[in-house]
């Protein structure tokens, strides 16, 4: 076998389609070689989101910034009708949500108004909601959250996020290595920035459910990244590691690892995203259960971003950092290729089988030399 990696090239015959190649171990996607494309796309999305964040800021729910909330059972009303009713009552920029199929919740920030104005607006809103629902004003429930409480909720959410990041970095540093921890951390920051940018850009409201969803998607992104890194570690340092053959660079080995886990990554992402999309579309938009929107929307955006970052961000960043180590620079110089060669999983398996056969043949030859000598000594 030659020292160059075995790369499967297309023949004149019609082969399997894209999905067929994916599930037959024939994919040869150059993730590392095209990292500038992936990084540029992510930077554009993040910059647009941060620009919106600087101009528009967040649409925070009352749990974070404080405010007043009213609820009423109104089976024959609609979001547009309820919105018109409370706006005519003097409420500015109300947020109207449908809880389930019959209950409506209206929230608004009255913290900057005087106590007298707050009481006046509250009374008018209660009467307007009761009239729209065909109920008595006593059947409209009212609650309020002060700005101090909202600030405490915000601080707790930030503390939970920081603790999560620290725990993740420590775990991956111990379980794998610090550079893998840094790559995973950058991928999670990528997912966080993309999600908050989308929320700011489209004005989606941020609630405690959104924070819970963010922690959930960061954990999902971490899981998918760890699966890929585990394969990278096996290909780099196991007994029959392909990197030890001296015929592939570190970046090419990462490419192979990505192609080996690509089908699993896609399947895992689809299994997670499709149910969330169903809940978001059917539950929130078709059935009108808008309380599902805050949680489902954050999950959907974050899962999409997490699937992207685990494939196109974390591993290419790892390859970029590792290829600057002296031993891998020397390996790249020995291989001396101008661009990445991409092994398919099947080709790598063939190489591994050949290496195993060579090792087994060497062992058999060594054993055949030792056993006759032992027999001769026994006869003497």
């Amino acid at each position: 076998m030659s020292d160059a990696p075995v790369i499967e090239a297309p023949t004149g015959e019609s082969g399997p389609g894209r999905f067929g190649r994916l599930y037959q171990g024939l994919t040869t996607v150059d993730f590392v070689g095209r990292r500038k494309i992936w990084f540029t796309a992510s930077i554009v999305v993040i910059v647009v989101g941060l620009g919106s964040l600087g101009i528009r800021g967040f649409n925070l729910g009352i749990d974070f910034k404080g405010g007043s909330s009213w609820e009423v059972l109104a089976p024959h009303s609609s979001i547009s009708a309820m919105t018109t009713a409370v706006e005519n009552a003097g409420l500015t920029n109300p947020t109207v949500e449908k809880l389930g199929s019959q209950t409506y919740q209206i929230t608004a920030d009255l913290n900057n108004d005087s106590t007298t104005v707050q009481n006046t607006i509250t009374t008018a809103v209660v009467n307007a909601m009761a009239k729209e629902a065909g109920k008595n004003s006593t059947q409209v429930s009212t609650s309020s959250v002060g700005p101090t409480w909202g600030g405490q909720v915000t601080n707790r959410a930030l503390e939970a996020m920081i603790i999560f990041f620290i725990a993740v970095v420590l775990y991956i540093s111990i379980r794998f290595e610090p550079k893998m921890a840094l790559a995973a951390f950058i991928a999670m920051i990528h997912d966080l920035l993309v999600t908050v940018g989308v929320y700011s850009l489209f004005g989606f409201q941020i609630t405690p459910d959104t924070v819970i969803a963010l922690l959930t998607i960061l954990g999902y992104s971490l899981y998918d990244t760890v699966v890929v890194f585990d394969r990278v570690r096996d290909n780099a340092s196991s007994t029959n590691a392909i990197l030890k053959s001296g015929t592939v660079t570190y970046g090419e080995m990462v490419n192979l690892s990505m192609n080996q886990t690509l089908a699993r990554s896609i399947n895992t992402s689809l299994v997670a995203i499709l149910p969330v999309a169903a809940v978001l579309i059917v539950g929130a938009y078709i059935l009108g259960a808008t309380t599902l929107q805050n949680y489902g929307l954050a999950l959907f955006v974050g899962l999409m971003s997490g699937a992207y970052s685990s494939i196109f961000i974390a591993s290419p960043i790892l390859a970029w950092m590792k290829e600057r180590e002296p031993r891998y620079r020397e390996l790249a110089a020995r291989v001396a290729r101008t661009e990445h060669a991409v092994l398919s999983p099947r080709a790598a398996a063939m190489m591994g089988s050949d290496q195993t056969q060579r090792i087994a043949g060497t062992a058999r030859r060594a054993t055949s030399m030792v056993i006759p000598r032992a027999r001769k000594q026994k006869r003497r």
Side-chain angles (χ1 to χ4, degrees):
M1 187 182 72
S2 64
D3 292 337
V6 178
I7 305 176
E8 296 182 356
T11 61
E13 301 177 358
S14 60
R18 292 183 179 181
F19 285 102
R21 293 178 62 82
L22 176 66
Y23 292 104
Q24 293 179 27
L26 299 175
T27 54
T28 55
V29 182
D30 189 5
F31 296 98
V32 175
R34 297 174 182 172
R35 59 193 172 204
K36 290 183 179 180
I37 299 176
W38 323 135
F39 294 170
T40 301
S42 295
I43 289 173
V44 169
V45 173
I46 291 173
V47 168
V48 171
L50 292 178
S52 173
L53 187 61
I55 298 172
R56 302 179 58 182
F58 284 130
N59 179 18
L60 296 174
I62 65 171
D63 293 287
F64 290 98
K65 65 181 181 181
S68 300
S69 173
W70 301 268
E71 289 185 16
V72 67
L73 185 66
H76 303 296
S77 185
S78 64
I79 291 180
S80 59
M82 193 64 70
T83 302
T84 302
V86 296
E87 286 180 342
N88 291 337
L91 203 59
T92 305
N93 297 323
T95 299
V96 182
E97 294 179 301
K98 191 175 183 180
L99 310 180
S101 60
Q102 297 182 336
T103 302
Y104 289 85
Q105 181 186 65
I106 288 85
T107 57
D109 184 10
L110 302 178
N111 292 319
N112 295 327
D113 298 326
S114 64
T115 304
T116 302
V117 173
Q118 289 184 23
N119 293 334
T120 302
I121 293 178
T122 297
T123 301
V125 169
V126 168
N127 292 332
M129 292 177 65
K131 182 179 179 180
E132 173 62 29
K135 305 285 184 179
N136 189 282
S137 60
T138 58
Q139 294 177 288
V140 180
S141 61
T142 304
S143 61
S144 61
V145 176
T148 302
W149 171 258
Q152 291 176 353
V153 172
T154 303
N155 292 334
R156 295 299 183 190
L158 293 175
E159 289 173 4
M161 202 79 69
I162 292 172
I163 292 173
F164 177 83
F165 282 137
I166 294 174
V168 165
V169 171
L170 290 176
Y171 169 76
I172 298 183
S173 297
I174 296 172
R175 181 73 172 79
F176 295 99
E177 63 170 284
K179 287 184 179 178
M180 286 187 175
L182 179 58
F185 178 77
I186 293 174
M188 288 190 297
I189 293 295
H190 167 277
D191 299 338
L192 182 63
L193 292 176
V194 169
T195 304
V196 299
V198 169
Y199 262 70
S200 174
L201 191 63
F202 293 96
F204 300 134
Q205 190 177 67
I206 295 180
T207 66
D209 289 341
T210 308
V211 177
I212 296 173
L214 282 175
L215 292 174
T216 302
I217 62 178
L218 292 178
Y220 168 83
S221 175
L222 175 66
Y223 163 77
D224 210 14
T225 301
V226 166
V227 169
V228 177
F229 283 177
D230 190 62
R231 175 61 65 177
V232 170
R233 185 183 60 177
D234 287 344
N235 285 333
S237 59
S238 63
T239 303
N240 296 324
I242 193 169
L243 191 62
K244 293 182 179 180
S245 67
T247 59
V248 295
T249 66
Y250 192 92
E252 292 166 354
M253 183 273 297
V254 171
N255 265 335
L256 170 62
S257 302
M258 293 297 303
N259 281 284
Q260 287 173 328
T261 57
L262 184 59
R264 177 174 180 176
S265 297
I266 292 176
N267 290 339
T268 303
S269 300
L270 288 176
V271 167
I273 291 172
L274 289 179
V276 174
V279 169
L280 188 62
I281 296 173
V282 177
Y285 293 102
I286 296 179
L287 299 181
T290 55
T291 50
L292 297 173
Q293 179 176 327
N294 295 326
Y295 187 75
L297 187 62
L299 275 181
F300 183 78
V301 174
L303 288 174
M304 292 288 290
S305 177
Y308 179 87
S309 68
S310 63
I311 296 174
F312 298 103
I313 301 298
S315 296
I317 286 178
L318 173 65
W320 178 76
M321 291 189 294
K322 296 290 288 185
E323 285 180 334
R324 276 150 181 75
E325 294 182 6
R327 55 176 174 169
Y328 295 124
R329 284 206 305 266
E330 293 174 1
L331 175 60
R334 289 199 303 269
V335 174
R337 274 193 289 271
T338 57
E339 58 183 15
H340 285 110
V342 186
L343 280 168
S344 71
R346 179 181 291 183
M350 293 170 58
M351 289 182 63
S353 176
D354 291 342
Q355 291 176 9
T356 302
Q357 291 176 5
R358 287 202 306 272
I359 294 172
T362 303
R364 282 196 297 270
R365 289 194 296 272
T367 302
S368 64
M369 295 175 62
V370 172
I371 291 178
R373 290 179 183 176
R375 287 177 179 172
K376 289 179 181 179
Q377 292 176 1
K378 196 179 225 180
R379 291 173 183 172
R380 292 179 184 174

